[in-house]
Amino acid sequence: MSEQNKRVVMSYVDAFNRGDLDAVCAMFAPDALIYGALGWGGLDTARPLWEQLMRCFQLSLEVDALAAEGDAVVVRYTERGRSVQSFRGSPVTGKDYEVQAMEWFVVKEGHIERRWGVRDTASMFRQMALPLP
C-alpha cells in the first residue's frame, strides 16, 4: 500500500511541475481537505490559489526525500520559482526564489484525502522582493 501511495503523490508532483492544474486536482478525493500556508479548505479553495502560484511564480518541486507508512506519505522538497506575473496585486520583479517545503498526505483508494503543506513563505517573498500576502 505504501508504494502505491508514493506513486499517487509522485503523480501529483509531476502534474504540479507540468503546470497541469486539472491533473493535480484529479489526484484528490472530491471531499479532500487541503491545508497550507495561506489557509485551508477543499479543492474549491485550493484550486484558484494553485492556479495563481503556477501562473505567477512558475514554481517547480524537486523531491529531496519521500517516505510512506500505511496511508501516510511525507515529502521534503526544494521548491524553486520566479516572479513572472503579479500575485494579488504585487509587482513583478523577475527575481528567483528557492525554499525548502514539506507536504504530508493521507492517501486512500488511490486519491489524496488530506494534504498539509508548509514552506517558508516569508523567505520566498523576501527573495523575490515582494510584500507578504
Side-chain angles (χ1 to χ4, degrees), residues 92-109:
V92 177
T93 66
K95 293 184 182 248
D96 295 332
Y97 77 91
E98 178 177 306
V99 296
Q100 297 302 301
M102 293 187 191
E103 292 182 318
W104 184 288
F105 301 87
V106 173
V107 180
K108 293 186 179 171
E109 298 180 10

Side-chain angles (χ1 to χ4, degrees), residues 4-118:
Q4 177 182 342
N5 291 343
K6 284 182 187 179
R7 285 191 293 277
V8 169
V9 170
M10 289 305 295
S11 293
Y12 156 87
V13 171
D14 181 57
F16 220 102
N17 285 340
R18 289 192 323 269
D20 188 342
L21 188 55
D22 289 334
V24 168
C25 292
M27 302 307 304
F28 287 81
D31 61 346
L33 286 178
I34 300 132
Y35 302 85
L38 299 177
W40 68 276
L43 283 170
D44 59 328
T45 300
R47 185 183 177 100
L49 178 58
W50 289 335
E51 189 276 328
Q52 285 180 328
L53 293 171
M54 289 175 177
R55 181 176 35 84
C56 297
F57 301 132
Q58 294 179 337
L59 66 93
S60 67
L61 304 170
E62 180 182 330
V63 174
D64 297 322
L66 176 71
E69 184 174 322
D71 62 3
V73 179
V74 64
V75 187
R76 181 175 49 86
Y77 307 103
T78 299
E79 179 182 316
R80 294 179 182 90
R82 173 178 294 174
S83 170
V84 295
Q85 287 190 20
S86 177
F87 180 75
R88 298 183 174 181
S90 66
V92 177
T93 66
K95 293 184 182 248
D96 295 332
Y97 77 91
E98 178 177 306
V99 296
Q100 297 302 301
M102 293 187 191
E103 292 182 318
W104 184 288
F105 301 87
V106 173
V107 180
K108 293 186 179 171
E109 298 180 10
H111 287 92
I112 300 166
E113 289 195 351
R114 299 285 182 274
R115 177 231 166 239
W116 293 264
V118 294

